[in-house]
Amino acid sequence: MPDNDVIAAAKERLEQSGLPSTWLDIPVHWGVKAKEQATPENGGLRFQMLNVDVYGEVPDVWENNTEIPRGAVPDTRTEQMGYSIFNKAEVWSDLCAELYEDAIADRWNSSADIPWDSLEPIGADLERAVCQIATMMSEYGWTKAQTTGRWLQEISYGYIEVKLFLGTVVFDAARLFEVWRKRALANGGGMGRGGRNWKFLPLTQSYTFSEFVVASIMHDSMLLTLLRHGEQLAQTEAERQIYRLCEQDIERHLAYFVDHMRYLMLKEPVRREEIHRYMNKAEWYLAKDGDDTLYSALAVIMGDGREGAEEAMADVAELRREQIETYLGYLRQCHLADREDRLNEELRKWAGMVELEEEEKIPV
Amino acid sequence: MVTADKLDELQMEPEAPELDLSWLNLDTEWGVSAELGRKGLTLQQINKSIYGEIPATSVDSSARPRGAAPPEGATPRMTPWVLGDATETFSDSAALLYDEAVSRQWSSATDIPWDTLDELPEDIERAMVQLCTSLTEVEFIAGDVPGKWLPRIAADHYESGLFLMSQVMDEARHTDVFRKRALANGGGLLLQGGGGGLRQILEAEDFTQMSSMLHILGEGFVQSLFRLGELIAHNEAEKRIFRLAAQDESRHVAYGVTHLKYTLEHEPEKAEEVHWTLDMFEDTLVDPDQANPGLAGALVYLLGDGDVDEGWRLFWHVRRKQVLEYLHRLDVAGLGGRLETGRLHPALAGALDEN
């Protein structure tokens, strides 16, 4: 229990000195102690361990537009800070706090954690192809960091766990950008050709966080499938490690995006059709982007040079089919299994799915 | 209704992309090899040949990495506008600071010796959690700000973009670690801070003005305070928090100073604009009406370990150090003379008086 005499004496000393003491009047939530909980065996003092009492109560609607920490006492003089997201369903996932700590525990360093000394000459075509892939990976990393970062100023402190996690996404995306740039410039190659990148517009243009999330699920699913082929695509141990570490990061991002979308679908099922519209848009831009440079570079690698590229296109097509399946698989986890019936016609062809009969199509 | 099973049955051969090998014959610089250094393969080491040439102006609002060939066909504008002039965002140290940020990441869960948090006297615990309440607030805004600016950084000036991305991560950890400290030892979060200039940093629409407020003055003051964390901390956990956070803040301050230096070297006429911004921000920082009612009291109380007179004495020692270091940073950036010309706010100038 608070010792009132000690606090009263402290107040008196502060007031005699002309200092405000109102902060000593605030009731505190005594009793939460980390010391017993945080051990190296259980991962130290993780955010979730302290999410107790008023501090752990995440409201469905957060009503304060300042930077006030959740659980603190407001100062009504504080200016509004311009946040726009006050609805838990718009951003929430129960996994955020744990994923945030996981991201930090999984941190890696592209300078020191990649065995760059394993790089060796691999032939001009293959080096060109690796550098082309690296260029496009870098572009996505850059876009991902920029588009994720811009949502930070929109999300209020009520959902602090989400913001902490998105901070790690921005940082991971920075690493995605730079580790592939390093690969392009480390082995006698150079940068390749930039992508047309119409497909990224749904990320940059999103008006709502949910729109950004469904576009992210699509692009991250495509990327993750590619990264999972790292063993097949990597020419050296350095690349193998890059594929592996990036895969680990993107899996974490998808865990959040998917769990959040599942939460949204459960809490606000009325938004289902709206979400489908965002998917319509994201898929349309992907289908119409019309830039097959990445897939052609993959064909050169899978075909072990330009001569074998034509034949390798069947394997590339299979990889692209897997990408769409991965995307649909994640949507199933979000309670959006009906997307299979509404997938963009072009993407259906990529996935080798039959064209739906007219009567089976759901109007878009 | 088409079910997944039915689709499996009806599976066809996937359509193959078109093979286009035109990218095998690009006119980009070829034959670049980076050599490993003591710290592995850093950004500095790959910034060679044309890939290391920073364009003074970038008109590219796409995500195309510097040195890559332009794509064939039409491309979209990825962002409404970018800050194309290097003077608006660039720092010669950004790449180095990013590399350092990556190698010095730490975990608030495992790198703080939380088991050293013994029970503190109740008044001291309250003062500490009040300080941490204010700090988690400040760090929260400090993470929002670079996020806001990221879409406006040109890919040609990627070093600054990467640095800001690392800052987003650092600020997330600071928001988190001070929240953890407030909640970890039986206390809790106390009184909100009341703004104290945070809004001005958020609403700035010029990057250099924002950076002068956030990196040089705001984080500079915070860094000076953290470096004196030994005076505030009561256990090894708190000492470690201040030490690690100060290390991060040093990078942020260094970015602000080197960016301003770069800008003023190339656009000396911008000096007055930055002076004006600092006039406004200093005024806010010392305005009693904007002051954080908990922060000053808690800080004085902690510095004196409950002895308010001693706390005041040490508070002025801290403030003096903050102001001296601030002026030194401005000197390094090429914006000296605020004290000599009487431009420094009198309340800050007064802190330099030994008496």
Side-chain angles (χ1 to χ4, degrees):
Chain A
M1 288 296 290
D3 185 335
N4 292 330
D5 291 344
V6 170
I7 298 302
K11 275 177 71 71
E12 192 179 334
R13 287 201 296 278
L14 285 166
E15 283 160 12
Q16 280 173 354
S17 192
L19 280 165
S21 65
T22 48
W23 52 276
L24 279 166
D25 297 329
I26 296 167
V28 290
H29 298 268
W30 297 100
V32 180
K33 302 249 181 178
K35 191 174 172 179
E36 297 82 15
Q37 299 180 45
T39 64
E41 292 74 34
N42 63 11
L45 184 61
R46 292 171 75 91
F47 192 94
Q48 200 58 25
M49 290 177 182
L50 296 168
N51 247 353
V52 293
D53 203 83
V54 296
Y55 308 113
E57 289 167 12
V58 183
D60 287 339
V61 178
W62 178 258
E63 292 180 338
N64 194 307
N65 198 346
T66 74
E67 76 290 357
I68 183 173
R70 193 173 69 218
V73 174
D75 180 332
T76 52
R77 300 172 307 153
T78 311
E79 307 104 310
Q80 301 207 358
M81 294 291 169
Y83 299 114
S84 66
I85 295 179
F86 302 99
N87 180 4
K88 184 178 180 185
E90 183 68 20
V91 292
W92 189 252
S93 154
D94 286 335
L95 302 179
C96 273
E98 286 296 292
L99 288 171
Y100 162 72
E101 298 285 8
D102 289 348
I104 291 176
D106 291 345
R107 64 192 179 273
W108 54 280
N109 177 345
S110 74
S111 298
D113 293 336
I114 306 297
W116 294 109
D117 54 2
S118 70
L119 291 178
E120 53 188 27
I122 55 175
D125 281 2
L126 288 179
E127 183 63 28
R128 285 264 182 202
V130 171
C131 290
Q132 183 57 50
I133 291 170
T135 301
M136 299 185 116
M137 293 281 201
S138 266
E139 284 186 313
Y140 182 54
W142 185 257
T143 306
K144 191 173 162 71
Q146 285 192 319
T147 54
T148 307
R150 87 175 172 92
W151 286 101
L152 294 173
Q153 62 168 333
E154 305 293 339
I155 304 172
S156 54
Y157 198 119
Y159 313 115
I160 173 71
E161 296 87 339
V162 177
K163 294 188 72 160
L164 296 181
F165 176 68
L166 291 179
T168 70
V169 174
V170 170
F171 192 52
D172 292 346
R175 214 169 33 214
L176 181 67
F177 167 84
E178 50 99 350
V179 75
W180 285 103
R181 184 176 178 88
K182 284 179 179 174
R183 171 58 195 89
L185 301 180
N187 198 33
M191 300 306 287
R193 186 167 70 196
R196 279 182 212 145
N197 294 337
W198 289 94
K199 59 184 175 288
F200 293 147
L201 279 187
L203 289 169
T204 63
Q205 292 177 338
S206 49
Y207 273 11
T208 71
F209 189 71
S210 308
E211 182 179 0
F212 167 71
V213 168
V214 292
S216 294
I217 290 175
M218 186 185 80
H219 284 294
D220 279 359
S221 297
M222 306 291 284
L223 174 60
L224 181 64
T225 312
L226 180 57
L227 294 170
R228 283 177 176 162
H229 281 263
E231 284 291 325
Q232 181 189 0
L233 297 170
Q235 302 297 309
T236 60
E237 188 52 36
E239 285 161 32
R240 217 162 275 136
Q241 182 75 342
I242 294 171
Y243 276 105
R244 214 177 291 141
L245 291 168
C246 291
E247 179 187 338
Q248 172 187 289
D249 291 343
I250 299 296
E251 275 181 348
R252 209 169 40 244
H253 305 172
L254 274 164
Y256 162 68
F257 290 134
V258 167
D259 195 61
H260 160 60
M261 191 48 61
R262 181 164 45 208
Y263 185 86
L264 180 67
M265 287 296 96
L266 285 171
K267 291 286 180 183
E268 297 187 359
V270 69
R271 294 189 63 187
R272 172 174 291 272
E273 285 307 309
E274 175 202 338
I275 297 297
H276 272 297
R277 286 209 173 185
Y278 300 144
M279 288 189 280
N280 292 344
K281 177 181 173 181
E283 291 170 9
W284 189 91
Y285 274 94
L286 177 65
K288 295 292 181 192
D289 188 79
D291 185 350
D292 286 331
T293 307
L294 176 70
Y295 292 114
S296 300
L298 289 170
V300 169
I301 291 178
M302 289 175 167
D304 203 24
R306 73 177 80 190
E307 292 76 17
E310 187 74 52
E311 199 181 325
M313 283 312 274
D315 291 337
V316 174
E318 176 56 25
L319 187 148
R320 193 166 70 167
R321 187 191 64 72
E322 270 180 54
Q323 288 181 311
I324 302 298
E325 277 208 347
T326 304
Y327 166 55
L328 290 174
Y330 277 118
L331 292 180
R332 277 194 291 275
Q333 291 180 36
C334 307
H335 305 299
L336 284 164
D338 57 336
R339 192 65 202 167
E340 283 178 2
D341 298 350
R342 306 172 69 160
L343 187 68
N344 177 282
E345 286 298 313
E346 200 62 33
L347 301 192
R348 294 184 73 81
K349 291 178 195 162
W350 294 9
M353 292 159 75
V354 290
E355 200 173 335
L356 294 172
E357 299 296 332
E358 274 311 309
E359 64 272 19
E360 290 176 314
K361 288 182 183 171
I362 295 173
V364 171
Chain B
M1 177 75 180
V2 178
T3 63
D5 290 345
K6 184 176 169 196
L7 281 174
D8 281 345
E9 280 173 31
L10 297 173
Q11 197 78 28
M12 301 179 356
E13 284 296 309
E15 184 181 274
E18 272 185 41
L19 184 61
D20 163 19
L21 297 178
S22 57
W23 50 271
L24 280 167
N25 305 303
L26 295 174
D27 193 22
T28 53
E29 180 148 341
W30 200 247
V32 181
S33 282
E35 282 178 23
L36 289 180
R38 198 169 50 85
K39 294 179 177 175
L41 188 63
T42 62
L43 289 181
Q44 302 280 54
Q45 284 158 307
I46 60 163
N47 262 350
K48 297 166 103 178
S49 69
I50 63 157
Y51 301 110
E53 289 169 14
I54 319 294
T57 303
S58 171
V59 291
D60 191 352
S61 69
S62 79
R64 181 161 58 100
R66 191 169 70 217
E72 290 184 337
T75 55
R77 179 176 277 269
M78 297 287 282
T79 182
W81 51 275
V82 293
L83 296 164
D85 288 346
T87 54
E88 296 196 83
T89 61
F90 201 72
S91 147
D92 285 326
S93 304
L96 183 72
L97 293 168
Y98 171 78
D99 280 329
E100 194 175 307
V102 174
S103 67
R104 293 197 168 188
Q105 289 297 299
W106 51 278
S107 163
S108 70
T110 55
D111 291 332
I112 306 298
W114 294 107
D115 59 347
T116 66
L117 270 187
D118 287 323
E119 190 154 346
L120 294 173
E122 191 175 320
D123 51 343
I124 299 294
E125 176 67 19
R126 283 206 191 197
M128 179 53 77
V129 299
Q130 177 56 58
L131 178 67
C132 289
T133 303
S134 303
L135 291 174
T136 190
E137 265 185 278
V138 169
E139 304 288 359
F140 186 74
I141 297 290
D144 289 348
V145 174
K148 164 184 167 175
W149 287 92
L150 281 180
R152 304 181 192 178
I153 308 292
D156 277 334
H157 304 142
Y158 77 84
E159 291 89 343
S160 287
L162 288 181
F163 168 77
L164 293 174
M165 293 166 199
S166 75
Q167 190 187 353
V168 167
M169 180 68 244
D170 292 343
E171 307 297 5
R173 201 173 40 233
H174 295 178
T175 305
D176 157 45
V177 78
F178 290 114
R179 185 178 175 90
K180 277 182 178 166
R181 172 58 194 92
L183 300 180
N185 201 29
L189 290 155
L190 297 189
L191 185 63
Q192 174 184 24
L198 297 175
R199 170 74 179 260
Q200 277 100 324
I201 300 173
L202 261 181
E203 65 196 8
E205 288 298 342
D206 176 275
F207 186 88
T208 304
Q209 288 177 17
M210 175 282 290
S211 176
S212 305
M213 287 187 278
L214 175 67
H215 296 125
I216 298 184
L217 181 45
E219 297 199 276
F221 268 39
V222 168
Q223 188 218 17
S224 302
L225 173 65
F226 287 175
R227 284 190 354 203
L228 293 169
E230 295 277 333
L231 298 175
I232 308 167
H234 285 77
N235 46 58
E236 196 49 44
E238 289 162 4
K239 281 181 195 159
R240 186 80 60 87
I241 291 171
F242 288 121
R243 207 177 302 141
L244 289 171
Q247 179 183 286
D248 296 341
E249 299 293 358
S250 298
R251 286 193 302 275
H252 308 166
V253 173
Y255 173 79
V257 170
T258 52
H259 163 62
L260 183 59
K261 184 168 189 281
Y262 184 90
T263 301
L264 295 180
E265 278 171 1
H266 292 83
E267 289 183 8
E269 67 277 13
K270 230 180 161 179
E272 181 52 28
E273 195 180 311
V274 179
H275 270 306
W276 193 93
T277 302
L278 295 174
D279 291 346
M280 181 270 294
F281 199 52
E282 287 172 9
D283 198 48
T284 304
L285 285 188
V286 300
D287 177 2
D289 189 48
Q290 301 250 15
N292 181 330
L295 181 60
L299 189 54
V300 166
Y301 204 85
L302 286 168
L303 285 166
D305 201 22
D307 177 340
V308 175
D309 291 338
E310 174 64 3
W312 267 121
R313 193 185 67 76
L314 288 169
F315 176 86
W316 287 112
H317 169 69
V318 171
R319 178 51 58 93
R320 183 167 190 273
K321 194 168 167 56
Q322 285 174 321
V323 175
L324 283 172
E325 289 180 349
Y326 166 55
L327 293 172
H328 175 67
R329 286 170 192 134
L330 291 178
D331 268 345
V332 171
L335 199 78
R338 277 184 75 76
L339 176 66
E340 296 75 7
T341 58
R343 193 134 192 192
L344 183 70
H345 194 286
L348 296 179
L352 298 176
D353 183 349
E354 297 271 9
N355 302 313

